[in-house]
Amino acid sequence: DAGVIQSPRHEVTEMGQEVTLRCKPISGHNSLFWYRQTMMRGLELLIYFNNNVPIDDSGMPEDRFSAKMPNASFSTLKIQPSEPRDSAVYFCASSPDPGQARYSNQPQHFGDGTRLSIL
Amino acid sequence: ELKVEQNPLFLSMQEGKNYTIYCNYSTTSDRLYWYRQDPGKSLESLFVLLSNGAVKQEGRLMASLDTKARLSTLHITAAVHDLSATYFCAVESSGGGADGLTFGKGTHLIIQP
């Protein structure tokens, strides 16, 4: 089975440019999460969606960050304009509905991440 | 605000030894997770713990959960070099439905021959 697919794997761009990260969740999973990992702050939740609807975006750093999930198989995380402090590894994860008993012991499945460097 | 604390953050141990990683969390939670991360790689799920007293084992790793103490442990038995990695515990807020995870800072484990 295909796992969570993220693209690009690596992105290097200059400060001020727009960056778009993409994620395809596992088919059938109805929850999608965006996380950011840095040495200083560790792993942080940015935003998550249930059934394509944003539920909690309190982790989004500021207005420069936005995320969308236009359908069940695709999500984007956009940074505009980008800054050097946005450099990090961005992970997308998905999970089935844990409210259903048959999925209650399912973890969140993580993609390989996008390593973003803003110069 | 949910907080998750792991200790130790760094651990160097010899092959064949046993050790335990601890994970404390600050508020009631429905689910606790343990993940493994190798350098430059993604997070790999190890265990999902759902209820008080839950114990799960996979190979040389065993995880347990005490919801009353808000404590989970990851025990390593007779460590081998292949277990060298960073281990994270993560907690999901109560609510029943899917929720974002709050992660501990991770335990960087080095197992030396």
Side-chain angles (χ1 to χ4, degrees), chain A residues 49-75:
Chain A
F49 298 81
N50 281 345
N51 296 317
N52 311 338
V53 176
I55 302 300
D56 183 358
D57 65 355
S58 60
M60 296 285 262
E62 49 198 89
D63 292 346
R64 297 185 296 107
F65 285 67
S66 62
K68 294 182 179 180
M69 192 165 186
N71 57 62
S73 59
F74 184 66
S75 177

Side-chain angles (χ1 to χ4, degrees), chain B residues 40-107:
Chain B
K41 301 294 186 181
S42 183
L43 282 84
E44 173 191 356
S45 175
L46 296 174
F47 301 107
V48 180
L49 301 171
L50 300 178
S51 60
N52 191 43
V55 177
K56 290 191 175 181
Q57 184 163 4
E58 182 72 34
R60 300 176 187 273
L61 301 178
M62 183 174 70
S64 66
L65 178 62
D66 181 344
T67 58
K68 294 179 182 177
R70 296 176 185 164
L71 170 69
S72 180
T73 61
L74 181 66
H75 187 73
I76 303 158
T77 301
V80 293
H81 178 69
D82 286 353
L83 291 178
S84 297
T86 300
Y87 292 85
F88 292 94
C89 67
V91 176
E92 194 169 20
S93 301
S94 292
D99 203 354
L101 300 181
T102 300
F103 282 84
K105 292 188 181 298
T107 297

Side-chain angles (χ1 to χ4, degrees), chain A residues 3-24:
Chain A
V4 176
I5 300 173
Q6 291 186 245
S7 64
R9 289 295 308 279
H10 303 273
E11 176 89 15
V12 180
T13 191
E14 291 187 345
M15 174 179 174
Q17 296 298 307
E18 178 179 293
V19 174
T20 300
L21 311 182
R22 297 173 175 81
C23 176
K24 176 179 170 57

Side-chain angles (χ1 to χ4, degrees), chain A residues 42-106:
Chain A
L43 278 153
E44 304 173 281
L45 174 70
L46 300 176
I47 185 172
Y48 75 94
F49 298 81
N50 281 345
N51 296 317
N52 311 338
V53 176
I55 302 300
D56 183 358
D57 65 355
S58 60
M60 296 285 262
E62 49 198 89
D63 292 346
R64 297 185 296 107
F65 285 67
S66 62
K68 294 182 179 180
M69 192 165 186
N71 57 62
S73 59
F74 184 66
S75 177
T76 59
L77 178 68
K78 187 173 294 187
I79 309 172
Q80 167 63 18
S82 58
E83 297 182 3
R85 59 188 167 135
D86 302 331
S87 298
V89 180
Y90 291 80
F91 287 105
C92 177
S94 71
S95 71
D97 180 5
Q100 298 186 43
R102 59 179 170 162
Y103 297 133
S104 63
N105 63 350
Q106 283 290 311

Side-chain angles (χ1 to χ4, degrees), chain B residues 15-28:
Chain B
E15 281 190 326
K17 300 292 186 181
N18 304 332
Y19 210 82
T20 301
I21 300 170
Y22 297 89
C23 175
N24 288 93
Y25 54 97
S26 60
T27 62
T28 304

